Amino acid sequence: MISRISVVGLGYVGLPLACAFAFRSFKVIGLDMDLEKIKLLKEGEAPIYEEGLQELLKKVLEKGSLKITSNYREMVEESDACFVCVGTPANLDGSVDLKHIKESIEIISECLRRIDKYFLLVIRSTIPPGTTSNIIKKIVEEKSGKKLGQYGLCFNPEFLREGKALHDIFNPGRIIIGAVDKKSGKTLLDIYKKFYGEPTPPVLITSPINAELIKYANNVFLATKISFINMISQLCQRLPNADVKVVAEGIGMDKRIGREFLNAGLGWGGSCLPKDVKAFLKFGEEMGLRLKLVESIIEINELQIENAVKLAEDLVGGLNGKRISILGLAFKPGTDDVRESRAIRLIEELLKYNVRIKVHDPKALQKAKKILGDRVSYCKTFEECLTDSDLCILVTEWPEYKKLKQETLKKYMRKPALLDCRRLYNPEEFKEIKFAAIVLGPIEMKNSFTYRSYSSFHNDSYITFQEKI
Ligand code: UGA
């Protein structure tokens, strides 16, 4: 039974995994090539923000169950299974850059050549279908001189949500194991049995290519759900009194559809969905298949930015010379990650106008600064961000922004106007100021009534009527 684990790549995926294994009685050695990161980690400082991670890191370092290194040889010698979590960024054409993963597999395999023990390689990085069997397996055998059975290989996709990574590691909905051979699959399953105890989460053991496809199809489906509801939101935007939030509630009540990932807004961002959707499109192209649905969801995602800029213009009567406050820069609440953040995309669009922009985020200011530089002003508090502004745009739905009241906007802003891009606020509470929400149709009736709708079939014709209550 394997109890010595190593993790390569201590980023958003690898670091929480290393800490979780170390917490659950495994001996863990974590490796990264970024020496600055290594220094911070050795001092007990998590270089990224993830709920609960800082505390857990301190705990496992004190316990001595997590060791940090940048030395591959030490890592391979002191572990029997290695989880590879290095980045697989996008090339300019959207395809996946496998440089880092190939490099680390090469080095691990060279270290294995000198060691006589069974060693399991587990790929967690997202890679195009076919990579494990066609590329990684070949590198391992060539560089290590070993054959399957002397080493093991699995593709084991992660389904962690950023911000909730530790929660998702400890409570996974399922585990997908794409095993190159039976022994590899069983060895990894045993590791998870030891980690989770009874009952083990649902497990699907399959071929690497199926597991690789599952990872992509999963993220593309989630993006499709969001783009679908954003398409409905674009329709609602043109329909007086229509409200996509209610439509989402309604269709979400159908168990076959489900309510999750039906929050309309500025669209999907982050380090995963945009990259994976584009890589999948490219992969289809390489297979000689045009994935038209995937093309459309990308287009809808872009339209949401245009939509927000248009709403902003309408709300304040043109953007020229306006001062804008942006609340939220992280790609979603609960993280400091700004990769492919919709906030950054929106700011880049707004900066094409003659505007001055102030920004605030509870966690992501430092990371945003690296991208936006001195083109915007950074504020430590949201009050500072609102001061003397003409328009406040809520972009990331951090819970603390929920506390924002009409009075606060009136107190600090020049001419209070609020554009809610994530449907955080109740428009009823902002009646005295200019208010718009990206997913709410134009409000025509000031004192709107509540309607209960009935539908029934009668004489083969579909009759809908509304009763005022
Ligand atoms: C996503 C998947 O949800 C994870 O299952 C997966 O493991 C991960 O990618 C990955 O491949 O590593 P994550 O990038 O953390 O996780 O973010 P999500 O929570 O999926 O949100 C993605 C984007 O969609 C965010 O910009 C969010 O604001 C947006 N979103 C999400 C909506 O606009 N509406 C929704 O209803 C849900």
Side-chain angles (χ1 to χ4, degrees), residues 13 126 158-163 174 215 218-219 222 226 230 259-273 276 331-333 342 397 422:
V13 173
T126 300
E158 52 83 19
F159 299 105
L160 313 178
R161 295 163 301 165
E162 264 188 52
R174 75 235 129 118
K215 172 65 196 185
N218 211 98
N219 273 356
L222 292 175
I226 303 169
N230 281 338
R259 177 63 183 84
E260 280 189 68
F261 278 73
L262 283 183
N263 293 323
L266 264 192
W268 33 274
S271 65
C272 304
L273 297 196
D276 292 354
F331 85 91
K332 67 173 188 181
R342 306 302 282 164
E397 66 278 31
R422 291 286 176 189

Side-chain angles (χ1 to χ4, degrees), residues 8 72 84 86-89 97-106:
V8 174
Y72 270 97
V84 181
V86 297
T88 43
D97 180 356
L98 295 172
K99 188 175 75 191
H100 302 301
I101 192 157
K102 280 182 179 168
E103 254 172 35
S104 55
I105 297 292
E106 274 178 20

Side-chain angles (χ1 to χ4, degrees), residues 406 427-435 446-447:
Q406 180 170 258
E428 292 290 310
E429 288 172 18
F430 292 86
K431 271 184 175 158
E432 290 167 28
I433 65 164
K434 287 182 177 178
F435 178 92
K446 276 278 170 272
N447 300 309

Side-chain angles (χ1 to χ4, degrees), residues 58 66 78 99 107 194-195 200 255 264 274 285 384:
K58 277 226 154 88
L66 174 66
E78 292 182 20
K99 188 175 75 191
I107 308 175
K194 180 172 152 73
F195 183 86
T200 310
K255 285 202 179 93
E285 208 180 292
E384 185 190 338

Side-chain angles (χ1 to χ4, degrees), residues 280-318:
F280 199 60
L281 189 65
K282 189 76 193 157
F283 182 70
E285 208 180 292
E286 282 160 15
M287 295 292 111
L289 194 63
R290 191 171 158 195
L291 303 174
K292 289 191 186 172
L293 177 65
V294 182
E295 285 175 8
S296 299
I297 64 168
I298 295 174
E299 202 178 310
I300 292 170
N301 209 40
E302 281 312 296
L303 274 175
Q304 289 306 83
I305 298 285
E306 276 179 38
N307 202 355
V309 174
K310 175 89 184 45
L311 275 172
E313 278 186 301
D314 291 350
L315 197 62
V316 291

